């Protein structure tokens, strides 16, 4: 068994070998610019990009012309939120989001507040749920965007996307969801779920880093956004810049693989996750699981270890690669705002660990981790 055991798949995933084999030729022999219309090099690249566009679209039930390639979910979130603000303001200035969103949504909203936007940050309940009623109550005449993530990256809680989408549709408000952590793990269909815009990222689903996409539903308010990158009018003018062909080819292949193995992976991951979670809860006293126990990502468990110093805890886990309930900013280690938002104390948030599993996780690794966590926590206590 290779140590440390990788249990941080929500941070990033390795590139799948099949994905790598597909994309490598686009760095060398097939190096063409997808925008070169006058020769074979360009046509080959363009064809590969269009195949990838179909593969991405198929994973979420979209049409190819609704997919805009970006550098990742951070860019996709920036593009839809800032882009729609720019086309809506000053007539409409209100955004609805949640306290537990990723910084790639929250910091964009904070930025826009300085420019005149008004933002409602909904507070989740103690397992991380946002309700339709909260969204309805927060809705105003001048609301132009509701952005609620599909599944939380730290605690895995899945939001009532379909219901919020239906409400947004009724009110003719754009509904965006950051589905970065959901794709490849649970089934997502943009039409059935009333989604107008959706962000996704390659490196969370076994494709390379630095590539992602934004889904923009045709004839929906999402398509009114103003581009945030001007230039050669690539991607139907929504995102200028020479396409990252190799990355896009990889993203497409990864989406195809994810679609074909979704059910199998989902079941396999939840069995392993449950084994890990039960193993830790039964063998280590004073522990609790964070997040919605009945409606969360199948690959993740976030566990608080009472009575342990958080910083020591993470430093002591040398043989497993996991992430903590805290984020290092340049100046200090802060407790996770997600865990604080669902009611954890600073102390408990520091002493919380996210274990996130992926398709290369084995049962032997889970068995090892259960024993290892028990030994480390007991030694610390
Ligand atoms: C929910 C969520 N949104 C956005 C991002 C940012 O994605 P990217 O690394 O592709 O910019 C992440 C990655 O950590 C994430 O988990």
């Amino acid at each position: 068994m290779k140590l440390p055991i990788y249990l941080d798949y929500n941070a990033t995933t390795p590139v799948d070998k099949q994905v790598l084999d597909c994309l490598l030729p686009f760095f060398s022999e097939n190096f063409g610019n997808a925008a070169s219309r006058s020769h074979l090099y360009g046509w080959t690249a363009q064809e590969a990009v269009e195949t990838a566009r179909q593969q991405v679209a198929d994973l979420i039930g979209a049409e190819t012309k609704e997919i805009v390639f970006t550098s990742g979910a951070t860019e996709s979130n920036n593009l839809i939120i800032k882009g729609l603000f720019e086309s809506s303001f000053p007539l409409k200035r209100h955004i609805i989001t949640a306290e537990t969103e990723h910084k790639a949504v929250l910091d964009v909203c904070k930025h826009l507040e300085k420019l005149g936007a008004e933002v409602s940050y909904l507070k989740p309940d103690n397992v991380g749920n946002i309700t339709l009623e909260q969204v309805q109550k927060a809705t105003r005449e001048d609301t132009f965007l509701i952005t609620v993530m599909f599944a939380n990256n730290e605690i895995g809680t899945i939001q009532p996307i379909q219901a919020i989408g239906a409400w947004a549709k009724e009110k003719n408000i754009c509904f965006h969801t950051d589905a970065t952590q959901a794709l490849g793990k649970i089934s997502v269909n943009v039409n059935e779920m009333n989604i107008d815009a959706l962000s996704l990222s390659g490196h969370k689903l076994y494709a390379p880093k630095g590539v992602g996409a934004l889904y923009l539903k045709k004839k929906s308010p999402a398509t009114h956004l103003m581009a945030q990158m001007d230039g050669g009018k690539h991607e139907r003018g929504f995102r200028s810049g020479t396409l990252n062909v190799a990355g896009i080819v990889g993203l497409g292949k990864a989406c195809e693989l994810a679609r074909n193995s979704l059910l199998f992976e989902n079941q396999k991951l939840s069995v392993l996750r449950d084994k890990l979670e039960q193993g830790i809860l039964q063998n280590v006293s004073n522990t609790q699981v964070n997040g919605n126990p009945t409606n969360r990502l199948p690959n993740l468990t976030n566990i608080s270890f009472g009575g342990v110093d958080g910083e020591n805890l993470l430093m002591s886990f040398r043989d497993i690669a996991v992430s903590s309930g805290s984020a290092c900013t340049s100046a200090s280690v802060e407790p996770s705002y997600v865990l604080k938002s669902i009611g954890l104390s600073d102390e408990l948030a520091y002493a919380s660990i996210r274990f996130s599993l992926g398709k290369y996780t084995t049962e032997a690794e889970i068995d090892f981790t259960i024993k290892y966590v028990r030994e480390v926590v007991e030694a610390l206590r």
Side-chain angles (χ1 to χ4, degrees):
M1 203 179 330
K2 190 176 158 220
L3 296 178
I5 291 166
Y6 191 73
L7 290 171
D8 205 10
Y9 282 82
N10 277 27
T12 197
T13 60
V15 175
D16 186 293
K17 178 82 175 62
Q18 291 181 71
V19 170
L20 193 63
D21 289 345
C22 269
L23 71 83
L24 277 179
F26 291 88
F27 281 117
S28 48
E29 59 260 43
N30 299 333
F31 63 89
N33 185 332
S36 297
R37 294 291 147 83
S38 53
H39 50 68
L40 185 63
Y41 296 91
W43 302 331
T44 306
Q46 193 202 0
E47 201 179 299
V49 166
E50 293 318 312
T51 302
R53 203 183 298 283
Q54 184 74 59
Q55 290 162 321
V56 174
D58 286 346
L59 180 62
I60 58 173
E63 292 179 22
T64 52
K65 57 173 176 284
E66 297 174 320
I67 304 296
V68 174
F69 288 115
T70 64
S71 64
T74 300
E75 185 189 337
S76 299
N77 289 344
N78 271 264
L79 176 53
I80 182 69
I81 303 171
K82 290 180 179 164
L84 216 55
F85 172 76
E86 204 181 323
S87 63
S88 310
F89 187 78
L91 216 59
K92 296 191 173 187
R93 62 172 71 211
H94 183 237
I95 300 171
I96 299 173
T97 188
E99 281 181 12
T100 44
E101 292 291 308
H102 193 269
K103 289 283 181 190
V105 165
L106 292 177
D107 284 0
V108 179
C109 290
K110 299 238 166 72
H111 174 86
L112 293 181
E113 280 179 307
K114 290 186 197 138
L115 303 180
E118 289 172 12
V119 184
S120 298
Y121 299 94
L122 304 180
K123 185 166 179 56
D125 67 9
N126 64 358
V127 295
N129 295 324
I130 294 296
T131 64
L132 170 63
E133 291 70 32
Q134 282 179 292
V135 174
Q136 287 174 328
K137 265 194 170 159
T139 303
R140 307 189 334 199
E141 279 298 308
D142 63 346
T143 306
F144 66 90
L145 176 67
I146 299 171
T147 173
V148 174
M149 73 200 318
F150 209 110
N152 186 271
N153 44 304
E154 287 189 40
I155 55 174
T157 297
I158 297 169
Q159 300 299 354
I161 294 302
Q162 186 171 22
I164 298 173
W167 169 254
K169 195 174 188 175
E170 192 185 315
K171 295 284 162 190
N172 200 27
I173 298 169
C174 178
F175 176 50
H176 166 249
T177 186
D178 176 353
T180 305
Q181 294 291 351
L183 287 180
K185 298 179 187 128
I186 52 177
S187 147
V188 174
N189 184 298
V190 286
N191 289 317
E192 287 169 10
M193 295 172 172
N194 307 305
I195 297 165
D196 293 324
L198 175 147
S199 300
L200 65 100
S201 175
H203 73 103
K204 310 283 184 183
L205 73 164
Y206 309 94
K209 295 162 187 61
V211 66
L214 177 65
Y215 157 79
L216 292 174
K217 186 184 182 69
K218 66 177 181 194
K219 296 187 191 142
S220 81
T223 58
H224 299 153
L225 70 82
M226 299 288 285
Q228 298 299 299
M229 195 80 86
D230 295 312
K233 298 241 179 317
H234 305 76
E235 297 298 274
R236 297 183 6 265
F238 287 122
R239 200 275 191 178
S240 290
T242 299
L243 295 183
N244 168 8
V245 178
I248 289 169
V249 168
L251 174 61
K253 184 67 186 175
C255 286
E256 182 190 277
L257 295 176
R259 183 167 170 239
N260 293 340
S261 61
L262 195 65
L263 264 182
F264 171 77
E265 283 297 331
N266 184 313
Q267 277 171 11
K268 185 189 112 182
L269 283 169
S270 62
V271 168
L272 285 178
R273 187 272 314 273
D274 290 348
K275 179 169 186 184
L276 174 66
E277 190 172 275
Q278 286 311 312
I280 292 176
L281 292 185
Q282 284 162 14
N283 286 291
V284 189
S285 60
N286 200 1
T287 43
Q288 76 174 50
V289 174
N290 303 308
N292 188 333
T294 53
N295 193 20
R296 72 186 151 144
L297 292 175
N299 76 313
L300 173 147
T301 178
N302 187 310
I303 300 181
S304 299
F305 297 86
V308 192
D309 177 64
E311 213 169 319
N312 282 341
L313 182 65
L314 194 67
M315 299 305 285
S316 306
F317 281 147
R318 286 170 205 276
D319 288 347
I320 54 175
V322 289
S323 94
S324 76
S326 50
C328 301
T329 64
S330 52
S332 61
V333 181
E334 300 284 341
S336 151
Y337 65 89
V338 172
L339 295 178
K340 287 188 70 174
S341 177
I342 62 168
L344 269 68
S345 63
D346 280 11
E347 198 187 357
L348 208 53
Y350 276 126
S352 300
I353 299 291
R354 176 183 76 182
F355 302 85
S356 52
L357 289 58
K359 67 177 169 185
Y360 304 117
T361 304
T362 65
E363 193 159 6
E365 289 178 332
I366 295 300
D367 291 336
F368 175 94
T369 303
I370 296 169
K371 268 181 63 192
Y372 181 73
V373 168
R374 177 188 179 161
E375 282 164 18
V376 169
V377 174
E378 275 180 1
L380 282 173
R381 279 176 179 160

